[in-house]
Amino acid sequence: GCNVQVRLVDYQEHAVGIGADATAAAYVEIETADRQVWWGVGLNPNIVTASFEAFVSALNRAGQAAFGSEQG
């Protein structure tokens, strides 16, 4: 496994649009073990999915900073 330790510092959500066409926007702030802070954003009609996407977005940002953006 990766054994990544993060702490969820903040979480916000709101709707973008009105009615059936609304999309959920979720924002998370995480802190890594080295005390660096990272933000992530997720947009999806489903708030649970938007929240998950935001968390993964923040993890990806932290991972890119820690390990570089290796391609291969």
Side-chain angles (χ1 to χ4, degrees), residues 33-71:
D34 61 359
R35 303 189 56 85
Q36 290 190 16
V37 175
W38 302 95
W39 285 90
V41 178
L43 297 170
N44 194 284
N46 182 302
I47 188 58
V48 174
T49 302
S51 301
F52 180 75
E53 289 174 353
F55 190 74
V56 170
S57 173
L59 287 176
N60 283 338
R61 289 172 186 265
Q64 286 177 349
F67 303 111
S69 55
E70 298 177 12
Q71 297 190 14

Side-chain angles (χ1 to χ4, degrees), residues 18-43:
I18 300 172
D21 293 330
T23 296
Y27 307 90
V28 299
E29 177 185 3
I30 63 169
E31 182 180 72
T32 54
D34 61 359
R35 303 189 56 85
Q36 290 190 16
V37 175
W38 302 95
W39 285 90
V41 178
L43 297 170

Side-chain angles (χ1 to χ4, degrees), residues 2-27:
C2 323
N3 194 24
V4 176
Q5 295 181 5
V6 297
R7 181 174 71 94
L8 181 63
V9 176
D10 192 24
Y11 170 83
Q12 301 288 322
E13 65 182 49
H14 71 269
V16 177
I18 300 172
D21 293 330
T23 296
Y27 307 90

